[in-house]
Structure formats: C-alpha cells, structure tokens
Amino acid sequence: MNPPETAAATSTQVAEAPAVPNHYLNHSKGFLSWALTLDHKRIGLMYLVGVLGCFALGGIFALLVRTELWAPGDTIAGMFASPGSSPQEVYNMWFTVHGAVMVFLVIIPGVPAALGNFVLPIMLGAKDVAFPRLNLGSFYLWVIGALFFVYTLFNGGVDGGWTFYTPYSASQATNVIPALLGVFILGFSSIFTGMNFVVTIHKLRPPGMTWFRMPLFLWGSYATALIQVLATPVLGITLLLLIMEKTLHVGIFSPEYGGDPVLYQHFFWFYSHPAVYIMILPAMGIVSELISVHSHKRPFGYQFIAYSSIAIAVFGFLVWGHHMFTSTQSPAMNAIFSAITFSVSIPSAIKVFNWLATMWGGSIRLTVPMLYGLAFIFLFSIGGLTGLYLGTLSTDIHFHDTYFVVAHFHYVMMGSALIGMFGGVHHWWPKMVGRHYNGTLARISWALIFVGFNVTFFTQFLLGSQGMPRRYYDYLPRYEIYHKISTVGSYMMAAGFLIMAFYLLQSIFGGRKSPANPWGANTLEWHCTSPPPHDNFATAPAIEDCYDYSGIDYDAKIGGYTSRANP
Amino acid sequence: MGDHSHGTDEHGHEHLGHPLSVRFLVGILMALLFLTVVTVGVSYIEMGRTVALLVALLVAVVKASLVALFFMHLRWDKPFNSVILVASMAFLILFIAFAKLDTGEYMHEITPMTEAPGYVEQGLKGN
Amino acid sequence: MSEHESHGDGHHAHHPHQAHHWDSMRQQFEAGKLGMWLFLATEVLLFGGLFCAYFIYRANYPELYEYGHHALDKVWGAINTVVLLVSSLTMALAVRASQVGNRKQLQAMLAITFLCGCGFMGIKAVEYKAKIDHGYLPGKLFNYAKTIEHEHEGHAHDGDHHDDHHGDGVAHAEGVFGAPAVSVVAPLEQTAQAQPAAPPSGLSASASRVAGDHAEHGHEDGDHGGHDGYLPVDGRPPNIHIFFSIYFMMTGLHGIHVLIGMAVIAWLLVVCRDGRFGPSYFTPVEIGGLYWHLVDLIWIFLFPLLYLI
Amino acid sequence: MAGSSITTALGDLGGLGSAGLAWLETRMVGLLAEGSIWTTGMPAAKSNHAGPIDSDYAFITIICTIFFVPITIALVYFAFRYKKAPGEKAESDVSHNTPLEVTWTVIPMLIVVVMFYIGFRHANMMYAAPADAYTVHVTASQWSWSFLHPSGAQMGGDIGKLSPDRKARETTDPDLGLHLPPGVPIRLVMNSTDVLHSFYIPEFRVKQDVVPGKTSSLWFTPDLPEGDEPDMYWLLCTEYCGKDHSNMLSAVYVHPTMESFLQWQTRATALDPDNPVESGAKLYVRKGCATCHSVAPDGSGPNTGPTWSGLWGLSADEHQVHEGSPTGPKRGVAMTGEAGEEYLRESIRNPTALWREGYIQPMAAVKVDDTELFFLIEYIKSLGKQ
C-alpha cells in the first residue's frame, strides 16, 4: 500500500502559501499534470466527469427500455435487432446494461469517489487523502472497469440482468465474463477508495477536529467506507466463483454440476445489499449538509444522525436475505431476515425527522441545492415507506420481482442516492469550478426532473401492485396505460437532465465568478478560496464548530458570506 | 476506536517500531511447529467428523492468534487494528452462519438436476 | 474515541520519506499500517467466500470430503506448513532487522523468506503435478477414468495406496512418515463399501440411476469424458469433482497470494540496498511483512481443513 | 419447509401478539377488508391468500399515509414559513431534544414490530399445504409451463397471443393451460429443467421460484367462479429466465363445477387409436411441443425449434445434424423410412444427442409412452412434404 517514500515526489511541488488566483485547476498545466495528478481535487473532478458520462450512457439505455415498453409487442427493439438476434434479446441486453452501468459505474462510485474525493479532505482540514497514489490508482481501476463494459457493449452486449443469477448467467453465451471482470475491477477501485477514506478520517484529522465535530457528510462517508472495505471483497470472490462455474463447471452454483443456485443469491446479496447503503449513506450525509447549510441552522440531533449512519452500516450486513423471500429460502431465515430488515428502517426514519426538525425555525434559502435537498426528503420518504411493503413477508410474496420493486429501488437509488448526489454537485459546483451556474435554468431542470421522476416511477408502483413482472419485453395489454404514462415521465426527466448538462457546461465558461462562501456555510471547504488552492490550506486551519452560523454574515458586495472567525 | 497516538519527539526521528528479541520470536516459531505436529498427529486418531473439525479449527485459531499477536505485532499495535481484523472475522462467521442456516434447512430436499422430470432420459447436458 | 495527532512539529526538517500531507513520521507510519490492516481485512473476506463454500458443502455433503481428502497428501501439506511457518519467522526477523537498522541481517532474512516462498511453490507444483497425472481436477477437467485406474492400482499396493500418489517424491517421504499411512486405509475402505449402503443425503436414488444408464450408453459415446466426475461409481460419491474444485480454488488463490508476497519481498531486497530503512522509517518492510504473515495465516487454516479432516 | 424450530418458536412468541392483533383487526375490519379504499391498486382478490395479504397491504398503506402526509406538509410548510432573505439569522438555535428524538425512535419501532408480526403470521399460513390438496406437478423450462395432473392428464401452457388490435391477449386453445377443479385446495409441486423461473398468479397473490435441482411447492384455494364459465387468469414467470421470459405465460382456468373439470380431463386424456394423426396433433399441444415447433406450412409461429411442416421427407443433405452439441461433428440424416423414424424417436426422448443444424436452444426430453410416441411420429409424418 502506498509506500510513503513514493509520495516524496509530491513534496517537491508543494505550494508555498498559495496566492489567489493560483488554485488547483491552474496550479499546473498539461495533460500529464492531470493524468498523473495526486491531488484529490483533480482526481475527484475526473471521477465526476467519468461518472456523469456513464450516467448519460445508462440514461440512454433507460430511455430505450422505456420507449420499447410504450406498447405491448415489438416497438423499437426490432430496429436494433441484428439478423442473428431477436427483439427480445436486444431488449434484455438494454436493461442488463442499464442496470449494470448505473449501479457499478455511476451510483456506487458517484458520491464517495467523485464528491467524496473532492470534498472530504478539505472538509476535514487535511491537505490530501491518506494515500494519494492509491487514490489515483483506484481511479484508473475505475477507468479499466468502465472499459470492460464498453468492450461488452461493442461486442454484442451482455444478458442476464445486473444480478447475474445462476444458472442462467452460467449457461448463456453472451459477454458475461468480460462484464464480471469489469465489475470485479470496479470492486477493487471501490475498496481502495474506502480504505483511503477510513485512514484519512482516522489519521489526518487536524487537532481540534474531534469525531463529534466532524461534519455529517464525513460521518456518512466514514460509514460508507467501512461497508466498502468489508462487503466488496465478497462480491469479488463471488464473481470469480461464477467465472469458474462458467469456464470449469466447478459445481458450486450450477445445479447441473451439483451446485446450488440459491447459494449464489446468498453470496451475491451479502455484498449487494450493503451496497445499497454504499449508495444511500453518503447521499444522506450530503443532504444533512444541504439542509443545515441552506437553513442556516445547526443539524437537529447531530449525534442521532451520526450514530444512525453507523447503525445503518452495521445492520445493512444482516438483511441480505430479504431479497430472497420467494427464492425457496427457508421460512425460518425469511422470518429472521424480515425482522432484522425492519430494524434498519428505524435509523432511516430518524434521519428524516431530524432533517425536518433542522428546517424548523431556520433561515431557509430556497437555493438550487436546497431544492434538491427537499426533493430528496420527499422521494426518500416514499422510497423508504414502500420498503415496508417489501420487508413484510406476506405482502412481499405479491410484490417480489414486480414493478413495485423496480419503483421502490428507483425511488431509493435514483430518487435518493442520485438526487442527493446532484444536490451535492449543485452545492459544491461553485467551489469546484469557481463559477455559478444559471439559477433559472437550474430551477426549471430541477422541476422537470422532480415531476418527471414521480410520473415515471410512482406509476410503476401501481403497475407492480397490479402484478406486472419486471424485466418483461412484452406485457399484457391491461398494463399498457401505466407504461405509457411512465414513458412520458422518463422523457420529462431526460429533458431536465439535458438542460442540466447545458447550464453546467455553460457555467464553466460564462458563469458568474463565485465568492469563497456563496451559501453561508461554515464547514472548512468554504473557508478556502473558490476554487481551492492546490494544497487546500496554507497552514492548518483553526477548527471551530462547523455548524455555528452566528459568525457568518452576508456581504451583498461579493454576493456571498464572510466569516468573522477567519475572514 | 480508542486509538491515541504516542506523541512525537521534537525531531520526528523516534523509534516507531517495537523490536522484539530474536529468542522470543524463535520461541513463537517453536510453539507454532509444536501445534502443527499436534494437529497432524490428532488427524490420525479416529473421531467423529464434527469433533475432528472442531479440534482442527481450535488448533488453527491458536496458531493464527500467535502469528497475529506477535509476528504481526498486534499485541503492541493500536487496538483499532485488532478491531478491524476481528470485525472482518465476525462478518465472515456471520455470513457463513446465515448461509449455512438456510442451506442446511433445505439441502435435505434438494434433488439433483438429474431428478427433474425428463432429465434422466435427456442425459447430462453437454456444453 | 477521539484521537489527536500531534501536529506540534511542523517546523523541523522533514524526513526524506515523509510525504507533504503528513505532519510526522509516526502519523505516516500509523496510517500506512492502518491502511494495510484494512486491506488485510478485505483479503480475509475475499478468502471468506471460498471458506463459506467449503463449510456449506462440507456440512451438507460430508462424504465428498471423506472421500476427497484421501487423494491429498498430508505429508507434503505438513512440510509446506513448516516451510511457511519458518518463512514467517524470518520475515518477522527481517522487520526486526530493519527496526534496529541492521541492513546485512535485513537482506539475509528477506532472502531466506524469499527462498522459503520458492520452496513452498515448488512443493505445490509437485502436488499439483500428481493431481493432474491422476485426473483429480476441478469441475469438468476431473478425469474419471484416470482416477479409477489410479485407485485400483492403489488397491493393488496392499494398504499404503494413499501415499502412493506422488511416485518417487513421496516414496522417500513415505520412508520418513511411512508408519501412519497404513492406518489411513481403514476409513477409506469403509467409505468405499459404505457408500452404496449409506448414500449421500437425497442424492443417491437418482444418482445411482444415472450411473445405471451411464453404464448403458454412457461409455460408447466418448464425449462424456468431462462429466464422469458427477457420477457415483465404485462407491465414489456423486459430484466428487466439487471437492477438487474447492481444493484447487482455495490453494490456487493462496498460491497467487504467495507469488505476490514474493514479488513484494524481491522489491524490498532491491530497494533496501541503499540502507534507507532504519529506526525512523521501515514502513515498507513492516507492511510487506504483514502481507506475508497473512498469507501464512490463511495457510494455517487451509492445511487442516483440506488435508487433515 | 414449514414447522422449522425457529418458525414455531417465533409463532409461540407471537401468541400474545396475535391476541392484540385480533383486537386491532376487529377495530379496523372495515378499513382492512378487500375492496376498501386502502387496498386500491391491488388486482382482483381471487384466492384464500388474497384476503390476509390485502389486509396487510391495507394496514401498511394506512401506516404509510399516517407518516407520509404530515412529513410532506411539514416539508412544504417549513420551506415557506421559514424562507428568509440572505443574511437573516435563524429564529431558533435548538440543537437537539432528547425526549422528542426518543419518542420518534420508539413509536416507529413498535409499529414495525406489529408489521413484522402480521406479515410473518400470514406468510406462515402460505407455507404448508392442507393434506387433502389436489396436487399438480408443474414443470418449467425455457420458455414454457407444463402441467401433469394426478389423472395422468398432461397439458402444455397456453402463452396466448396479442390480438390484432393489440388491445388484448387472447388464449389460443381452451383446453391448454392449467385447469383447476373448483373449491379444493390446490398444491403445486414444481421443478425446472434449466434455469430459475418463478410461478406467479397476481389474482391469487401466490409467487414461488422454481429452482432447477430443487423441488419447490405452493398452495392456494381459488375462489369459485361466479358464472358457469371457468374463470381465466394469467400465470406469469417472474424470475428472469432469458430470451422469451416475457412470453413465459400460461392461461389458468378455475372450473365452476366438478363436471366441467372432469369433461376437460376426459378431453385432455382422450386419444383415438384409430386416428393416430389426430391424436398426435393433440399430443403436439398437450406435451408443449407447440411452444417451440411450428406446424404451419408457411413456417409461421414459434421457431425456437425446427418446424415440423415439411420435415418428413427431407433428404440427408437438406437435413444436417450435429452430434452431442450444436457444434459437434456434422452429418446428414434422411427423414425417410426406418432411419427417419428412429431419428424422430431419439430426438423426442433424448433431444440433446443430435442437434439440427442452425438450432442451439436445448430441448428438455419429453415423457411419452410408446403409443404416444407413435402418434406424434405419425403426426409429424402427416405434415411431411407431399
């Protein structure tokens, strides 16, 4: 792991007290200065670009899927079917790729690797993450993993759904192995990021930054990192076993050779359920920041929120079986897993109440990030509450593997994890690029996304309770009307995201310059210039209560806030 | 995570490690070799599956802890490093236990693929 | 709970190996170790999946293991255990040498450790060779014909047929550890007769049926070669190939780790020549050592689980 | 599966809970009943399991509403009530309120305990089938269902087809599919010949994965049809199983009277020895051949397997087969005379021995006695080149 003498290279280019306008973006120039950078901010930015690119890719496949489902029978998939293949097969590849890309390339690295990398060390008051080289390494692992996916795309796609259940995944002939290798590599990228964050938070907290002075985003990221380290290796070995099963018929997962398909589901969900918390916990952390900062009021029940993050992380390991209530898992295990599952719902509920209580009596500014924060609370409440139907043994029998599940996890993964991430992007964008985006466009795009999302996915709850199974290329006509509504909603969302892409790009070139502290926040990243200097802090910053807004005053001249404590 | 640093002397070139005496380390090896002989020897004694498994695991755990505590210096490390190791073990045991609990419950009713109707006639599917 | 790194010493000359974002060598050292331990935790869980498969199949189909482990040679296994344990000691001594800044000793110890690694892999190669020769291979590679033939010739040798897998290599080992071999035969023969009588849970009814119609048309069309491992013949439990799948995946993954560890040690041997390691900086040696010890740690569990029971 | 020690232990524990729950249900009976506003969104309830599941659904929906509505109101109200100009300070600086936080931790806890228990109790009712249940053996294979009745009657599934106006899915043959006698508990014993499938009938609220190498089962008692026509439902596969996953449907009929069920059974079992071709045509649909092999002269219909139309009479060069696997050694088999019949027999009983050129989807062997085999072959021959 990162033998320290290797880091010596960087100590040469350490910036002596950096004077504006020297910041991390213009600190050094040229392709290599980015490709080989050890600066967590640049790495975070590169991650962000990659993740958003993959989000666009996954989004395109989502739109294809929705369009195909506009009417029963073949709609558009036929046009994409090569002579050898049938429309169904084309459609199956679409949803497989959509799922795999969105989960492994977008949501899991999204908040921790992209935003976390940029924000976490500055928030903490550190000069960098603990192992900068490892950090760069995990970025390139991510790139390689992504390349494997691209390869499968151009090599005829991959079938089997992102869960790759055996024995189907072990028996069919599409590019399962390249895809699995890609996921395996992405897994290690995620592990290394997690290790980096845990060590950074343990060892690089400046004096005065005690555990309970840490911003809540750090608590979220810390819990996430623990899961990444402890759960992801099991995914790795599961994929290796599956590859062995495909190539050598080792007989662990394939009944044909003496294996047990349900065992694969245990292996897979032991990682993939905690992975759900890898996705949601950092988003929750972001929202805790957004609500507090834009209400200019300290988070209500800081300790409850902090502890509930850890609680969710730990309980998250004990509930994987609730994905298997109808898989012929034994009734006893069904009961145990259902019981523990409900216990996870409590800390999530606590967070929602605390966020509301934080807004109460605050000084709220309906900025764009705040709008995303509010959207998160609304969507996460729906996502969380509908989880109760699926955690309940009896009702889950009806809902399992229907569109109800699809709607539920889209509310949690997209409506919560991704909306939270975009909230973070809008919150830290001025800090990242030093410029403001167009607020009006941003509000329009927010509205389109928010409304479009609910139109798309709330309809799918109805579809699901009506019994529409997931992963269907064709469906009974009685479901048609819901599918049409859902598809319309997905187009609204697409429009919203196009607008977002436009104003974010436009802001980089034409955006209004952002002051150091445009939102009136008091966490450390807002105490250094926008964009931050190469080394974050010339001298170790004075750590104060990062949620005390009394010393933060608005200065109309600069259109931002100034802090009396460190001006 | 109750780990607190030992402080640093003003020149930052202090002893970071905790050198152990050669005799001590060799002693640990002797213990390990002895336990290896024990576990091999025991394997020749006829006893039930479960007992044999438990004995073997017990010896292995003792050996492992010797290595971890002394060769890997956990004994003198920050406690959190031990916490990590124990946590990983704990989650592993949990994983195995739950999976076992479940498969154990239904394994008895597993019929091999060859039982499935029409499968025997079909013979073992080639690839 | 809370932990304050001492940041007091921002002024003194930085140690050449101290990266810019650290305040002290200790902080950097502790961080490196913490990172390594987290990595070791992931390694534990990576192997954990295989251990899970091992225990589940052991619990549900013990007969696979009863039968399978007789094909492994516990003598070679024990020798390898000793080799690895010794290498662990020398690694620990190497770390000690770097702590006290004794370069000569450091190099010597690293070299011995490296050689032990070579020895371990060499013996593994001998074992794998024997498995391959006799067809004890994972999944579809498992070769029924070879294994049966081998076992029959084994029975021809009165008694000690289990040590016989490795030709000369073990013939000599047999001279040393010859005595125990005899006692091992009893359980094997038991299982051999016991199998048809006490069939594996739920499997046998159909399995024997398959064996039946395998006997009929199985052999004349030759393309069944890879699948014979699934069939219970001569008291062999069905799906016996699973045991060897698990054996090869576990020892194989472990072998890969040994190779990585050896690479790390080789690298340490190269860089330590300039005497950079001393009381105030030996993190790479410490961390390499931790990795090597973990490899040892895992073998400590693999050996009894696969070879002895 | 049922009666596991842990389950029963939990059950006993719940003894007390069930008393309280009975009370709760009597209070809420109006709300939880089928067809109340709280079960909106659920499909028609047509089996004995629908009642309990729908009442759980209603209970959870009520709880969710109780939480969700106030949360949303608070969210919107706070957002505007406390909206302030830049620079204005917050009205309150309250950092926490332990009693309040404990309250909103404990209350949800109690609620989810109840929720777990009702779900647990109702799910347990669904595990063990009554002893007197009518047992049907279900076989799932890519991508069709097959149903074997105690009477020996065997029927393939009816995947139906989209009506020309694309407004409805129409059944193809009223005798196909899963036919059930009225008023008795039905027990399904299910196997898969290839990959995971899942048996799901929304109106019955039953779902159970069908796992290769394992025997899974489920049971239900369908409601009696109102009219004197059988009620028709769609059975759906809900575990992704490959290409035609979304077409792995079958019609399910619940007969209004035992008579009409027995009439179907007679039709399903009857074969006319004097008319082998017609009997073969019947077997073609009953044994599920129809899901993969077309018989239309124009080759329209399913094409997963070779069409039977014009198959008989092909010369060896027109009819190439691979041995053992789709890529095995290739040779020609003339579809004429004894050799042709022998080939057909082998291909039905041991389909993966010889693979027709250009077809890669393995076929599960079909259980047929010699007479049935004879009928099928006669039928295939009747479709041959004239």
Side-chain angles (χ1 to χ4, degrees), chain A residues 229-529:
Chain A
V229 169
L230 285 176
T232 319
V234 178
L235 176 73
I237 195 66
T238 309
L239 300 177
L240 290 184
L241 277 168
L242 185 47
I243 292 173
M244 286 292 145
E245 191 68 77
K246 264 186 93 68
T247 51
L248 291 181
H249 305 331
V250 290
I252 305 296
F253 295 145
S254 290
E256 207 174 333
Y257 311 111
D260 173 7
V262 182
L263 184 61
Y264 172 83
Q265 297 175 30
H266 280 295
F267 270 71
F268 181 82
W269 289 113
F270 180 82
Y271 163 76
S272 296
H273 192 75
V276 174
Y277 298 107
I278 295 181
M279 304 174 193
I280 192 69
L281 276 172
M284 289 172 157
I286 291 179
V287 171
S288 305
E289 297 297 325
L290 294 185
I291 299 296
S292 166
V293 166
H294 298 274
S295 310
H296 299 88
K297 177 158 167 285
R298 84 173 48 254
F300 184 88
Y302 171 98
Q303 294 219 344
F304 264 67
I305 299 183
Y307 282 132
S308 63
S309 298
I310 304 298
I312 291 176
V314 173
F315 279 120
F317 275 93
L318 311 180
V319 300
W320 76 84
H322 68 218
H323 297 264
M324 302 167 58
F325 286 161
T326 66
S327 74
T328 70
Q329 179 173 238
S330 62
M333 294 314 288
N334 284 352
I336 294 171
F337 278 123
S338 168
I340 310 177
T341 301
F342 278 113
S343 68
V344 186
S345 64
I346 303 300
S348 315
I350 296 177
K351 282 178 185 278
V352 172
F353 298 139
N354 280 314
W355 291 324
L356 287 174
T358 307
M359 291 170 64
W360 177 81
S363 161
I364 296 177
R365 219 111 329 125
L366 289 182
T367 58
V368 178
M370 184 61 169
L371 290 177
Y372 276 95
L374 299 176
F376 178 99
I377 298 180
F378 178 85
L379 299 174
F380 179 72
S381 307
I382 297 181
L385 288 169
T386 50
L388 296 173
Y389 294 89
L390 299 171
T392 306
L393 281 169
S394 57
T395 46
D396 180 71
I397 292 172
H398 178 59
F399 291 127
H400 180 72
D401 269 345
T402 66
Y403 265 65
F404 194 94
V405 176
V406 177
H408 164 71
F409 71 67
H410 276 89
Y411 262 88
V412 179
M413 286 189 193
M414 181 174 185
S416 309
L418 277 177
I419 290 294
M421 179 177 110
F422 283 113
V425 169
H426 285 82
H427 183 65
W428 284 300
W429 189 260
K431 182 59 64 181
M432 287 180 175
V433 304
R435 291 172 181 279
H436 274 295
Y437 42 80
N438 177 322
T440 324
L441 283 178
R443 283 179 164 73
I444 295 171
S445 118
W446 173 84
L448 278 170
I449 293 170
F450 180 71
V451 176
F453 179 89
N454 286 292
V455 172
T456 309
F457 292 109
F458 199 85
T459 328
Q460 297 188 358
F461 281 122
L462 304 175
L463 261 177
S465 45
Q466 289 293 327
M468 167 79 199
R470 66 194 282 198
R471 296 173 171 176
Y472 263 29
Y473 152 82
D474 193 1
Y475 52 84
L476 298 176
R478 67 179 182 221
Y479 301 124
E480 184 168 0
I481 176 64
Y482 301 100
H483 276 296
K484 283 193 158 41
I485 298 172
S486 184
T487 305
V488 170
S490 66
Y491 293 154
M492 292 176 68
M493 261 192 290
F497 281 115
L498 282 176
I499 300 178
M500 185 193 289
F502 169 75
Y503 67 72
L504 287 184
L505 287 173
Q506 182 259 352
S507 73
I508 296 176
F509 308 107
R512 167 171 57 89
K513 282 227 176 321
S514 158
N517 188 356
W519 310 123
N522 196 16
T523 44
L524 287 173
E525 77 271 28
W526 302 104
H527 289 197
C528 50
T529 55

Side-chain angles (χ1 to χ4, degrees), chain D residues 73-355:
Chain D
I73 293 174
L75 195 63
V76 177
Y77 173 72
F78 291 170
F80 290 98
R81 162 70 179 73
Y82 298 109
K83 193 165 174 300
K84 292 202 169 45
E88 285 187 60
K89 294 294 171 204
E91 296 173 14
S92 139
D93 63 349
V94 54
S95 72
H96 66 285
N97 176 337
T98 316
L100 181 61
E101 293 174 73
V102 170
T103 320
W104 71 37
T105 309
V106 171
I107 291 177
M109 240 178 236
L110 299 177
I111 293 175
V112 293
V113 169
V114 177
M115 214 177 271
F116 161 75
Y117 181 70
I118 59 171
F120 166 75
R121 196 185 50 162
H122 287 152
N124 268 6
M125 293 179 189
M126 302 177 68
Y127 290 131
D132 61 343
Y134 175 90
T135 301
V136 181
H137 194 298
V138 179
T139 305
S141 21
Q142 288 169 314
W143 295 270
S144 65
W145 299 92
S146 162
F147 312 100
L148 180 59
H149 292 257
S151 60
Q154 187 181 12
M155 259 316 162
D158 178 0
I159 69 168
K161 61 178 185 316
L162 198 58
S163 64
D165 65 356
R166 290 182 147 214
K167 289 281 166 276
R169 193 172 184 107
E170 296 163 340
T171 59
T172 54
D173 171 349
D175 282 352
L176 286 178
L178 174 56
H179 286 253
L180 298 173
V184 296
I186 309 294
R187 173 162 174 268
L188 301 181
V189 176
M190 307 189 287
N191 286 99
S192 162
T193 59
D194 35 48
V195 302
L196 293 173
H197 302 282
S198 189
F199 181 104
Y200 177 43
I201 302 176
E203 289 82 358
F204 294 175
R205 313 281 193 274
V206 290
K207 182 181 287 125
Q208 177 63 59
D209 283 12
V210 187
V211 181
K214 265 176 89 167
T215 304
S216 57
S217 69
L218 61 80
W219 77 277
F220 54 87
T221 311
D223 293 2
L224 282 173
E226 274 85 19
D228 45 14
E229 281 305 297
D231 277 349
M232 200 284 281
Y233 308 100
W234 284 110
L235 144 65
L236 309 162
C237 174
T238 45
E239 189 63 71
Y240 180 63
C241 58
K243 173 164 158 277
D244 278 322
H245 170 52
S246 61
N247 274 328
M248 193 166 162
L249 317 173
S250 172
V252 177
Y253 298 90
V254 179
H255 285 266
T257 63
M258 204 40 105
E259 291 67 38
S260 84
F261 176 72
L262 291 174
Q263 282 159 13
W264 166 82
Q265 184 171 300
T266 336
R267 289 198 302 278
T269 42
L271 289 174
D272 174 5
D274 308 331
N275 196 338
V277 171
E278 186 195 294
S279 310
K282 287 209 182 93
L283 290 167
Y284 163 74
V285 283
R286 291 182 194 166
K287 299 288 184 183
C289 316
T291 48
C292 299
H293 301 275
S294 75
V295 290
D298 61 356
S300 65
N303 61 353
T304 315
T307 176
W308 289 1
S309 161
L311 174 62
W312 186 256
L314 290 176
S315 73
D317 343 344
E318 297 168 301
H319 189 261
Q320 295 287 326
V321 296
H322 297 269
E323 290 175 18
S325 78
T327 55
K330 191 158 91 169
R331 62 179 162 92
V333 177
M335 294 305 289
T336 50
E338 188 44 42
E341 292 187 9
E342 181 48 41
Y343 169 81
L344 290 175
R345 273 188 224 101
E346 173 76 354
S347 310
I348 293 171
R349 287 201 156 144
N350 184 13
T352 50
L354 293 172
W355 297 66

